[in-house]
Amino acid sequence: MSWSINTACRLPSAHATLVSALLLGVAFGASAQESQLRVPSNAVAGQAASIATTGSGSATLYLNGPSISLKRDVQLGQDLDLTGKELLAAGRYIAVICAGSCSSAGFFVAPGKPASLTFVVHPSRAPVGVNDVISGVAFPFDQFHNLVLTRAPVQFQLTPKNSAPTSHNVQSRDGVAWFRTSSGKSAGPLQVSASLNDLSARRVVQQVASDPCNLRIKGQRTAKGILVETEPVRDCSGNPVPDGTIVTFTAKNGHDVSFVDAPVKQDVARATLLASGPVVVSAASGVASGNELRIGGKE
Amino acid sequence: MKRALPIVVVIVAGTVALMFLGLSTGRSAGTVGVAAGTALPGFSAEASTPEQALNNFLSDIQRRNWDRAFSSIERTSDTLNEQAFVQEWIGWNGGLRSFSSLERFDTRPLHATNSAAQMRVRLHWTTPVGPVENVRDFKLAHRGDSWKVIWDEAPKPNVPAQIVPVNYLRWDLVSGTAGQDWGSHNVDSPNVRIISMNAVDSAEGAVVMGEVVNEDTIPAFVNVNATLVDASGSAIDDESSFDKILHVLLPKQVTPYRIDFPHVSLGKVKNVRMDVKATLVPASSDPVIGVMNQKLETDAQGHSILRGDLLNESGQTVNIPHVIASFYDNNGKVVWVSDGYVEQALLPQSTESFAVEIPQTLAGKVQSFHVVVNQYSLQAS
């Protein structure tokens, strides 16, 4: 008995097209003939299956599936065993057997049990207090990376820092389960997990402070110039803005203008401005602007 | 043979006389009243005119003949030594001037008496970032039979040895170790936005400019591209902001950008397609550079300029500071973006002056401005 297995990726595309056309042509041409094949009705990806044949004598079997094209010499009247390796990909298969005339039958290989859960969460950073900003999508796959299309219960759990977790139970449809939610009021990591039976995947969304709010500054003249600093810079929900957020200090003295773009460090931005006369100092960060500070001239 | 000798002597003497005339008299070519510099090796004869004295001096500078250049000047400060004088010309601490050379110079008399003169010199430098010009005024005095350049530049004060406590922020990128699992590497690109755009025609061609803000909470490496599209929908040209942008933007930081399209007229342009790209990048918030004492002025040549001082508030030397300024009209619209490199390194806790030019046609419209400073540090690269 000779075996000839060609996977789709080994076949040149033109050759694969030709084989597929041949199989389809044979399938349609043979539809009126008496069936000589009995295909498996509940085949599962990665599991062995067999195709029963009727008649006697030798024949040639052609099998075409999502990732396989196979030709094999067989004896009619015997069961044709297909190994699990030959049925790794879920989807529709067509078997054609030719002995003088050809007959064909199609069958479906279903995905196996979920073996992995792919979980995509967007965005990786979300400002606090924004509606429907966080979304997650889970895709169950079997061990051969076939998308599991049967309905399955997926549990999404969101756990903010220092808060109780909340859960959403979703039935997957056509291999997809998803959720969408708003960001919380507090900055910090939000753990998002998806579970299906004993499978789970975890992602982290960083909830970050929104734009600065109520910027307040104070300052004093020193030997080097004018030292100005903000009070702790927070967003409107009271979260400290991330370190590195730029605060622009501006000192105006008539037509003389001085700027410093200073980063927030440990909630406070600080800068030294060189100015000898009386100045008006102000600060801005993002859309927020702060109070004005009038500092007298150097004595 | 006896008859040939006088002829040879006459030819040699004539050649020497012509060489002397050529090197000792002023240059006749070029604009009237403007003398052009030369790199020709020549003889520094006694300078009988202020132009000649300044030409000799600048030729020595150009040829890096420091001993002769230094000995030819008259110093007003005894603290100036030759090393400080040389550093004034060749730069130090990896500043832009350290990588530059004086290509040529044009001198122009401002006024002169029998005993003193003032000359204006336009110095043309070749640098790694392109040609740089500066204008400098020199005073000259008649001493004895010759003219001398008066060097009244005070040597730069030395930065005292000190310890500057630094507690700056730094962002590193960590690529996850979760293998190739789909969805496990999803750190989003920074969220940046073009907040203004304006396209104008200039003498050199079309200019697209505006501002970009980093709206995210992490640093972003930003680049802006623009494509000019004609009435038929075809692209005329596409360019990027290249160095006319502050590429690394910290959270909430705003940068101007300018994109030049040389030899393209806006009359042909129907549409401008803008594209801003932002990528995650390791970054540091140090050094903090303040921009002090900014003032809109008109310089001695009648050009409108924004002048100010850069103050390095950190403990790290900034080798090549690069100033980018956006200018706004009374509606807050960006009407121009200028940039300029500072030739001297910006030392820790020190200031260095800068000036950027505004086109004369726009100077009247400018109501306010904002300056950001790009920095190139040898330590960081």
Side-chain angles (χ1 to χ4, degrees), chain A residues 118 121 123-125 203 208 211 224 242-246 255-261 263-265 272 274, chain B residues 167 169 171 181-183 186-189 216-218 250-253 288 290-295 313 349 369:
Chain A
T118 292
V121 174
S124 58
R125 298 176 303 283
R203 302 285 179 262
V208 296
D211 285 325
K224 281 186 175 179
D243 277 0
T245 301
I246 291 293
H255 292 295
D256 271 17
V257 185
S258 299
F259 295 121
V260 180
D261 279 352
V264 169
K265 288 179 193 170
T272 302
L274 298 183
Chain B
N167 179 22
L169 301 160
W171 291 261
D181 189 13
W182 185 30
N186 57 340
V187 179
D188 297 330
S189 294
D216 216 314
T217 53
I218 53 169
L250 297 183
K252 312 292 183 233
Q253 193 167 22
V288 173
V291 190
M292 306 297 167
N293 308 322
Q294 299 164 80
K295 225 181 272 184
E313 298 194 357
Q349 309 288 313
F369 46 83

